[in-house]
Amino acid sequence: MKFSTCLKLSTMLIGGLPIAALAQTPAPADPRDDFASAEIVVTARKQAESLSDVPLAITAFDSTRIEEQGINDLNDVARLTPGLGFTSVIGEFLPTPVIRGVTQTDLFGSDPNVAIFIDGVYTGAREALNFAQADIERIEVVKGPQSALYGRNAFSGAINIISKRPTNDLSGRAEVVYGTGQRFSVLGSVSVPLIRDKLAVKITASHSEYGGSHKNLTGGPDLGGYNYDTIQSVVRLTPTPDFEVVGGVYYSRDAISPPAVSALAPNCELSRGVNQTFCGVIPSLPKAELSSHPDAYGQKRKVLRTFLDMKLNIGDWQVGWLTGYNKTDLRALTDASRGLPYTFRYRTATGAIRTFDTTLLREEGEPKFTEYSQEIRLTSPQEAPIRGGVGGFYFSGTQVRPNFDAVSTTPLPADFVATFPVPGPWNTFFDGVIFDKTVTKKVENFALFGFAEADVTSRLTLRAELRYGRENQRTLQPASNIGRPTAAIDKRLHFTTWTPRFGIQYKASDDLMLYASAARGAKSGGFDINAPTEQYDPEYNWTYEVGVKGSWLDGRVSADINAFYIDWTSIQIPVLDFTQAPPVAVTRNLGDATSKGFEAQLTVRPARPLTAVFGVSYTDATYKNAVIAGFANFPSFAPDGDVSGNRLQAASKWQLTSSLDYEQPLFGSVDGFLRADASYRSKQYMDSTNLAILPSRVLVNLRAGIENGKWRLEAFAENLFDNDRPTFAFRDVYLSNVLNGAPVVFPPRITVSHPRGREMGVRASVRF
């Protein structure tokens, strides 16, 4: 029996347990009986603390808000978080979180600027960051560098995703979602105490599918869809009150259909007779229709995550061990032609020059990512006036990335000898020979870290954190004869980083806290995955922040406000290297930038049934000094490609978020509810030339239904007004040697990502 079939059956079986228990289980007490919402407990500083007491800019979502606002992935988290942006560059191939304008300038780089932690374990493979969130207890978005405590690549912030833990009572839930676009999901979860107060296990299984957002005009699968089959188990062992062991396994088998992307022809910056980029606002599609070759299936991946978290209390001291292992296997085949057949010029045996048309499919090979990490911590009594902690960290990661090959979908003409005017690598697209350009990158990171905190007075606290890290990298590539022959590569390097953080907080009253901090963030350097002989150095930033958190009127009004300034140096910036065939983006340290702004979130509860949340962020992210040789042939940026003073790409100046939650008793124990949220982001620039503009976007979601303590039934509309404005774009090349009938080697193009349209559906859930 197929895995997906077994998973669906087991999901329904697990989901049926709460239904059977409803008749005999009284409704749990509603935690919303109190006027003020329950305080969220976060672990952003590696210890449990009330969100309002942590002197950091944090947006946190507990399990109630995750469920009520339909948060399914990081896209949903970003639309509700001031200062956080999120996009997927090509479908789910390269998910990219952006905090405070510190954008992923190294677009195809292997390391994101925002570190993602799942159950405390660092997850480095970008291709697996946006995943099926099966059973989540809490999501924490921590803004600003967190390198001192979190370490590797928590450069502009960190996102913590924490799974639900087993409980000491039998409990469970089931959920079914059905909607437009062939959207269907089913989830079942059950928590079982095996030994009362000693051992409990929680098992969750889910299946989620979506047919796609854009019709495929070629007759192949619709674009932008997915199919996730996920199973997760968490075990909690407490043999004594002072010793806790929590372990978990997550496995998902995912099929992601081809991305909803199109090719846009450049219209400006004429150089050597060819327009180099696009000027103006990037347009939406006239219809939700695109083309992708029927043989291009998209991406298939298998994701395995495991963790083991142990805590031992020795008096008021605590020792912690956290071990993690992640493994991701991928396969991908996409339409490199973006649905447009290429014309190739070729030479015959007699020297005649002719043309033929074909579609090229991009074969990604089978990339593999494995990660192992271990952290040990010792924490002093946290009620002492002077307190602290020390720890050690080890990370080992291996990335195996086959360099892409292209497959022609059209047989060669009988008189084909070689492509013309450059025979070079194009022949490899057609001769059926796949050349091994696999790049293997091995990383080892060792770190020591610690923090010290002192209460100067009952209201004033000082804190310092420091991390020393050493990273060793090794890059290997076999000899290759694709394009120009290359020798085998075996390169090694290492980096050493010191990342401090200093903070001060003042508790003006029990309900008002002011804080300030200065922190240094570091992001690893390395060898370029596309040009393994090329090295780039780490990049750094210093972030200075002041903030205030408070609540008034017995919790009816609460606010979280901060202002920041970021000084970002040695930025890792990709440029197109036309000395390689085909041209690829390679990474260089090419500039410095600053980002400054503010963020604010206000929660208002004017009456018991009504809660309103408003958020705003302003970010001014600008290159201070940056010379990008890839733009030197643009007439506007000749002769050297100087983009100093321009805004950073993919960073909106303004973000606005709002949500409204209204509940009212209807009859008996049944309440009715109406929930709405809206988000706005201002325009973004495609790249650092600031010539191509991604227009502003507004998204509105609406949910309404009925519920009591045991079940919920709701109808929803997401992207209510069917906003179809593009979400991302980048400059690359056509894999061709003809443009408008003239011989042009690899002419430039703009690849544009398009969003999902309006979706409507129903969701039903039960719990006990």
Side-chain angles (χ1 to χ4, degrees):
M1 187 179 293
K2 290 184 177 180
F3 172 76
S4 59
T5 303
C6 293
L7 185 62
K8 292 175 188 177
L9 291 174
S10 61
T11 300
M12 289 186 281
L13 177 61
I14 294 172
L17 292 175
I19 299 174
L22 285 178
Q24 53 188 343
T25 305
D30 191 342
R32 292 166 295 182
D33 285 343
D34 294 333
F35 183 87
S37 293
E39 183 65 68
I40 298 177
V41 175
V42 298
T43 54
R45 298 198 297 180
K46 305 285 187 176
Q47 60 195 53
E49 300 175 283
S50 172
L51 176 61
S52 60
D53 292 334
V54 181
L56 296 171
I58 304 174
T59 300
F61 304 86
D62 61 12
S63 58
T64 299
R65 192 175 178 196
I66 290 170
E67 184 175 354
E68 290 181 346
Q69 296 197 301
I71 296 175
N72 294 310
D73 56 25
L74 291 177
N75 286 291
D76 295 325
V77 174
R79 67 178 167 81
L80 297 169
T81 303
L84 172 66
F86 185 84
T87 187
S88 292
V89 176
I90 308 177
E92 295 301 331
F93 285 75
L94 290 172
T96 306
V98 177
I99 289 179
R100 293 177 169 175
V102 183
T103 188
Q104 186 82 24
T105 52
D106 182 9
L107 191 60
F108 295 94
S110 56
D111 294 317
N113 285 356
V114 179
I116 308 292
F117 294 83
I118 302 172
D119 291 310
V121 176
Y122 174 70
T123 301
R126 288 180 66 192
E127 288 84 346
L129 292 186
N130 206 24
F131 61 98
Q133 298 180 3
D135 204 16
I136 304 300
E137 175 64 31
R138 191 172 65 256
I139 300 173
E140 304 168 359
V141 180
V142 191
K143 304 165 196 171
Q146 305 301 317
S147 298
L149 284 186
Y150 286 91
R152 195 170 193 273
N153 297 334
F155 183 66
S156 63
I159 299 176
N160 297 322
I161 301 172
I162 298 94
S163 303
K164 287 185 177 179
R165 300 313 194 225
T167 61
N168 286 321
D169 298 309
L170 179 66
S171 61
R173 74 182 181 105
E175 180 180 277
V176 177
V177 178
Y178 181 80
T180 56
Q182 303 175 56
R183 180 173 172 179
F184 171 74
S185 66
V186 56
L187 178 145
S189 178
V190 61
S191 179
V192 181
L194 301 179
I195 302 176
R196 184 71 181 177
D197 297 327
K198 300 289 185 182
L199 179 64
V201 61
K202 186 179 184 67
I203 299 174
T204 303
S206 67
H207 170 80
S208 181
E209 62 184 69
Y210 174 61
S213 57
H214 290 72
K215 181 180 179 181
N216 191 345
L217 296 177
T218 66
D222 285 349
L223 310 180
Y226 58 78
N227 189 309
Y228 299 145
D229 289 316
T230 306
I231 190 164
Q232 179 176 339
S233 178
V234 180
V235 178
R236 181 172 180 263
L237 172 66
T238 52
T240 72
D242 292 320
F243 185 41
E244 178 189 61
V245 180
V246 179
V249 178
Y250 170 100
Y251 178 76
S252 188
R253 196 172 73 177
D254 307 332
I256 301 167
S257 61
V261 296
S262 63
L264 182 65
N267 65 356
C268 64
E269 298 297 322
L270 189 69
S271 176
R272 296 188 294 272
V274 178
N275 285 325
Q276 297 297 311
T277 191
F278 185 85
C279 292
V281 177
I282 296 174
S284 303
L285 295 172
K287 292 184 178 181
E289 297 177 339
L290 289 166
S291 295
S292 178
H293 194 277
D295 291 342
Y297 57 77
Q299 182 188 74
K300 296 182 180 180
R301 70 184 179 190
K302 296 178 182 178
V303 180
L304 172 68
R305 297 192 178 102
T306 64
F307 76 94
L308 182 65
D309 189 4
M310 297 184 287
K311 295 183 178 69
L312 174 64
N313 295 321
I314 305 173
D316 292 332
W317 292 73
Q318 185 180 85
V319 180
W321 300 264
L322 177 62
T323 303
Y325 175 79
N326 300 323
K327 187 175 188 293
T328 303
D329 294 337
L330 299 174
R331 288 190 298 123
L333 186 66
T334 56
D335 189 339
S337 306
R338 306 287 187 255
L340 303 173
Y342 289 155
T343 296
F344 279 89
R345 288 163 56 95
Y346 71 95
R347 179 173 54 82
T348 69
T350 63
I353 305 302
R354 296 176 180 168
T355 64
F356 75 100
D357 294 335
T358 187
T359 295
L360 292 182
L361 303 183
R362 177 167 174 147
E363 169 61 62
E364 302 285 348
E366 297 186 5
K368 298 181 183 297
F369 309 87
T370 56
E371 299 167 340
Y372 169 80
S373 61
Q374 174 72 62
E375 182 175 282
I376 302 176
R377 302 181 306 277
L378 174 64
T379 308
S380 72
Q382 293 304 293
E383 299 302 321
I386 299 177
R387 51 200 174 270
V390 294
F393 175 80
Y394 172 76
F395 172 86
S396 174
T398 300
Q399 300 181 12
V400 180
R401 291 179 179 268
N403 197 294
F404 81 88
D405 201 1
V407 180
S408 174
T409 60
T410 304
L412 289 176
D415 56 356
F416 178 93
V417 171
T419 51
F420 182 85
V422 182
W426 284 282
N427 286 346
T428 70
F429 299 160
F430 309 121
D431 62 11
V433 178
I434 296 178
F435 292 85
D436 187 3
K437 289 189 71 176
T438 297
V439 176
T440 300
K441 179 179 178 181
K442 298 182 178 182
V443 175
E444 280 191 316
N445 185 280
F446 306 85
L448 297 174
F449 62 90
F451 76 93
E453 194 171 63
D455 296 328
V456 180
T457 70
S458 60
R459 296 188 180 277
L460 181 65
T461 301
L462 302 179
R463 182 180 174 103
E465 303 169 3
L466 180 63
R467 189 183 195 96
Y468 165 79
R470 177 184 172 90
E471 181 158 305
N472 301 322
Q473 293 187 16
R474 183 182 183 189
T475 300
L476 302 101
Q477 185 183 60
S480 173
N481 62 343
I482 185 170
R484 293 175 300 174
T486 58
I489 295 169
D490 187 349
K491 296 281 187 177
R492 300 171 188 260
L493 55 79
H494 74 271
F495 302 104
T496 299
T497 57
W498 292 88
T499 49
R501 181 183 183 90
F502 307 99
I504 181 172
Q505 68 182 91
Y506 179 71
K507 208 58 166 158
S509 69
D510 290 343
D511 298 320
L512 181 64
M513 179 186 69
L514 298 90
Y515 67 90
S517 67
R520 190 189 196 207
K523 181 180 174 183
S524 301
F527 289 110
D528 196 288
I529 204 75
N530 289 322
T533 60
E534 301 289 340
Q535 176 182 333
Y536 55 93
D537 295 325
E539 56 185 327
Y540 299 96
N541 81 73
W542 272 99
T543 295
Y544 308 93
E545 180 178 331
V546 294
V548 58
K549 294 183 178 184
S551 64
W552 301 268
L553 301 176
D554 297 323
R556 289 177 172 85
V557 178
S558 61
D560 185 345
I561 305 170
N562 69 77
F564 61 87
Y565 178 84
I566 302 171
D567 186 9
W568 184 7
T569 58
S570 300
I571 302 175
Q572 298 167 4
I573 299 176
V575 295
L576 279 175
D577 181 358
F578 283 92
T579 67
Q580 299 195 56
V584 296
V586 295
T587 302
R588 305 284 187 269
N589 298 93
L590 292 175
D592 305 324
T594 62
S595 181
K596 55 184 179 291
F598 67 86
E599 299 152 348
Q601 186 161 301
L602 179 69
T603 302
V604 181
R605 304 176 183 89
R608 196 178 297 269
L610 180 63
T611 299
V613 181
F614 306 97
V616 58
S617 69
Y618 171 80
T619 304
D620 182 12
T622 306
Y623 283 106
K624 186 166 54 176
N625 299 295
V627 176
I628 303 176
F631 300 135
N633 64 330
F634 289 22
S636 300
F637 296 91
D640 54 4
D642 190 343
V643 296
S644 302
N646 283 8
R647 288 184 52 79
L648 271 77
Q649 61 270 37
S652 296
K653 266 195 175 183
W654 289 98
Q655 283 181 264
L656 303 175
T657 67
S658 64
S659 64
L660 183 70
D661 188 333
Y662 180 78
E663 293 191 28
Q664 187 68 34
L666 295 180
F667 52 87
S669 61
V670 177
D671 294 342
F673 63 84
L674 175 66
R675 299 185 177 106
D677 66 75
S679 61
Y680 164 83
R681 68 150 177 80
S682 61
K683 72 179 183 182
Q684 300 177 349
Y685 292 109
M686 179 187 75
D687 59 29
S688 50
T689 66
N690 290 185
L691 297 174
I693 299 171
L694 289 160
S696 61
R697 296 193 76 223
V698 176
L699 292 178
V700 178
N701 299 326
L702 187 64
R703 302 175 187 278
I706 55 176
E707 64 180 341
N708 69 4
K710 297 182 292 186
W711 54 264
R712 173 182 294 154
L713 178 64
E714 72 174 32
F716 63 83
E718 298 175 352
N719 191 4
L720 180 64
F721 298 109
D722 200 24
N723 190 305
D724 62 355
R725 293 183 173 184
T727 56
F728 200 79
F730 63 94
R731 179 173 173 259
D732 61 348
V733 297
Y734 291 105
L735 300 179
S736 176
N737 61 359
V738 174
L739 179 66
N740 300 325
V744 177
V745 177
F746 295 128
R749 72 178 176 195
I750 310 300
T751 290
V752 183
S753 295
H754 301 280
R756 291 161 62 167
R758 181 192 299 114
E759 297 175 26
M760 304 177 70
V762 293
R763 174 182 284 106
S765 62
V766 295
R767 65 177 65 245
F768 72 95

